Amino acid sequence: AREGRGGAAAGGTGSGMDAPSAAGLGGADPQLQRFIEVETQKQRFQQLVHQMTELCWEKCMDKPGPKLDSRAEMCFVNCVERFIDTSQFILNRLEQTQKSKSAFSESLSD
């Protein structure tokens, strides 16, 4: 097993190589801001695909051959579905946490 796989489902990059956020560009051209947002989303998606591929390959691929056997194929399908479910659950949970923090902050300022 390879090291450095921890937190794969969380979607965090951990690389420190993220593109600058559009919000950090201040008065930059709106087209440039949008381009950077789109490219950043592409990068995050590619990182998720890479993490999912690595995780599921290590979990499901015993011995590479010319064809996938039915067991490995089902393992890959289940692994991808669980990865997506877990990622979605974490995103939803983070969103709920953020909303509850915002509501709490608003109630304190009233």
Side-chain angles (χ1 to χ4, degrees):
R2 293 184 187 169
E3 292 183 27
R5 292 185 328 175
T13 61
S15 68
M17 295 175 52
D18 287 345
S21 69
L25 294 176
D29 178 17
Q31 278 187 307
L32 177 60
Q33 289 180 355
R34 182 66 185 137
F35 174 77
I36 290 173
E37 287 173 3
V38 168
E39 292 303 309
T40 301
Q41 286 179 347
K42 285 180 187 178
Q43 179 189 23
R44 287 182 183 142
F45 179 76
Q46 288 172 342
Q47 288 171 337
L48 278 173
V49 169
H50 176 75
Q51 290 171 341
M52 181 181 60
T53 302
E54 183 178 17
L55 178 77
C56 293
W57 181 267
E58 289 181 13
K59 182 178 180 73
C60 299
M61 205 61 202
D62 294 329
K63 48 186 187 285
K67 289 175 35 174
L68 281 179
D69 61 19
S70 60
R71 187 203 64 76
E73 186 175 350
M74 283 307 300
C75 181
F76 277 113
V77 168
N78 289 331
C79 182
V80 169
E81 288 177 355
R82 295 299 74 77
F83 186 92
I84 292 169
D85 290 346
T86 302
S87 297
Q88 190 63 48
F89 173 80
I90 290 169
L91 288 173
N92 289 340
R93 184 65 121 171
L94 290 172
E95 188 176 289
Q96 288 174 353
T97 302
Q98 189 63 35
K99 284 181 183 176
S100 66
K101 283 183 180 179
S102 295
F104 181 71
S105 296
E106 289 174 11
S107 69
L108 288 178
S109 65
D110 287 343

